Amino acid sequence: FIGSFAQDTAPSQKSVDEIARELSNPVSLTASMVFQGTYNRWGGSVAGASDQGSSSLVFLPTLPFKVGSYNLTVRPSFPVVGAPYVNENLEWDKKRGFGDIVVLSILGKITKSGFLYGFGPTFIAPTASDPLLGKEQWQVGPVVLLGILKKWGVVGMLWQHWWGVNEPPAGVEKVNNGTTQFFYWFSAGSGWQIGGSPIATANYISGSDIDFSVPINLGFAKTLLAGKTPIKLTLQGQYFITQPENIGPSWGIFFQITPVINVPW
């Protein structure tokens, strides 16, 4: 999630620390563009897993709308990904292409005390250019947001879950996945923030079997003005304290470049 500063106030009238706090609000009433790059190194019991890595570059426009006393945030994500796999020669290879499109919608608000909350639906469309880069099925589920936004920073969580809607192709399991993004960013002054936003995932394979991937993130963010345009730059490192036994991410880094944009509404 990345929000932005209030539309009814010009950015030149705000300090970079104020803008940084607004950019940490996932249900703010402004728009921004997020360009996110990720690289993960893999590990696991499968032979050669520790020599593999995955990468992605995701475009996430964040579009806000006023709905009564609430704010509606719509954020589609358009990913280009690269993922390792074992080819027909039983050798490691990498597949690159377009991934599944995710559309996140949150209806929420921030109270006078700084309490953030929101809820809504999330959808995934099977747009991957190759079966190895997606789930090959339409998915739908709920979103829940809880958090606290103060002058010192922001802490909270964003939970999502998806269930496969249509019957998947033969040999492909029906989706039953969930993610929880924790976010904790603390102001360090002059537009700097220290913290992280790790995303824990849970794959409910069958019955009580669950594959967990749980990272710990630490990084920094800097909000600055490029002319009159606020831009937030974020860099984080992550280490996975829990991962699937066979193969999964072990450690990684990711960055975000988030310019604020104006919208006609």
Side-chain angles (χ1 to χ4, degrees), residues 213-250:
S213 293
V214 181
I216 295 177
N217 284 34
L218 184 61
F220 61 87
K222 170 66 174 176
T223 300
L224 51 85
L225 294 177
K228 295 183 178 181
T229 301
I231 298 178
K232 187 172 186 176
L233 307 175
T234 306
L235 180 65
Q236 298 181 55
Q238 57 184 2
Y239 175 76
F240 288 81
I241 58 176
T242 303
Q243 63 179 182
E245 180 180 351
N246 293 331
I247 184 171
S250 177

Side-chain angles (χ1 to χ4, degrees), residues 21-259:
R21 282 194 296 273
E22 292 286 352
L23 282 166
S24 298
N25 181 359
V27 289
S28 64
L29 249 191
T30 50
S32 63
M33 299 291 180
V34 182
F35 300 89
Q36 177 176 293
T38 305
Y39 175 78
N40 283 323
R41 198 69 178 179
W42 289 59
S45 60
V46 174
S50 60
D51 297 324
Q52 308 308 311
S54 61
S55 58
S56 66
L57 182 62
V58 187
F59 172 52
L60 304 100
T62 301
L63 306 174
F65 303 88
K66 187 69 175 177
V67 181
S69 61
Y70 288 82
N71 301 336
L72 173 64
T73 300
V74 179
R75 191 195 68 183
S77 63
F78 305 93
V80 176
V81 297
Y85 74 102
V86 178
N87 61 27
E88 60 275 9
N89 298 321
L90 301 180
E91 297 175 341
W92 282 103
D93 204 343
K94 181 166 284 190
K95 188 72 68 173
R96 296 178 176 87
F98 196 76
D100 288 344
I101 293 176
V102 182
V103 180
L104 168 69
S105 302
I106 304 177
L107 184 67
K109 67 189 308 182
I110 181 171
T111 67
K112 291 182 179 180
S113 64
F115 177 59
L116 291 166
Y117 68 94
F119 56 90
T122 178
F123 308 92
I124 298 182
T127 55
S129 57
D130 187 277
L132 293 172
L133 303 178
K135 299 297 186 180
E136 298 184 273
Q137 54 198 287
W138 292 89
Q139 303 166 52
V140 65
V143 178
V144 176
L145 165 72
L146 295 172
I148 296 289
L149 179 65
K150 297 285 190 177
K151 287 186 177 181
W152 48 259
V154 60
V155 294
M157 55 80 68
L158 178 70
W159 173 78
Q160 300 181 77
H161 196 97
W162 298 273
W163 291 277
V165 176
N166 60 296
E167 195 63 32
V172 178
E173 290 194 2
K174 207 163 189 178
V175 168
N176 185 5
N177 293 340
T179 67
T180 302
Q181 180 179 20
F182 301 95
F183 48 93
Y184 40 88
W185 290 100
F186 304 98
S187 176
S190 302
W192 287 96
Q193 293 172 298
I194 299 173
S197 51
I199 300 177
T201 63
N203 180 17
Y204 299 83
I205 304 169
S206 60
S208 60
D209 292 332
I210 307 174
D211 270 345
F212 286 107
S213 293
V214 181
I216 295 177
N217 284 34
L218 184 61
F220 61 87
K222 170 66 174 176
T223 300
L224 51 85
L225 294 177
K228 295 183 178 181
T229 301
I231 298 178
K232 187 172 186 176
L233 307 175
T234 306
L235 180 65
Q236 298 181 55
Q238 57 184 2
Y239 175 76
F240 288 81
I241 58 176
T242 303
Q243 63 179 182
E245 180 180 351
N246 293 331
I247 184 171
S250 177
W251 61 269
I253 58 173
F254 74 91
F255 68 87
Q256 290 178 330
I257 302 172
T258 308

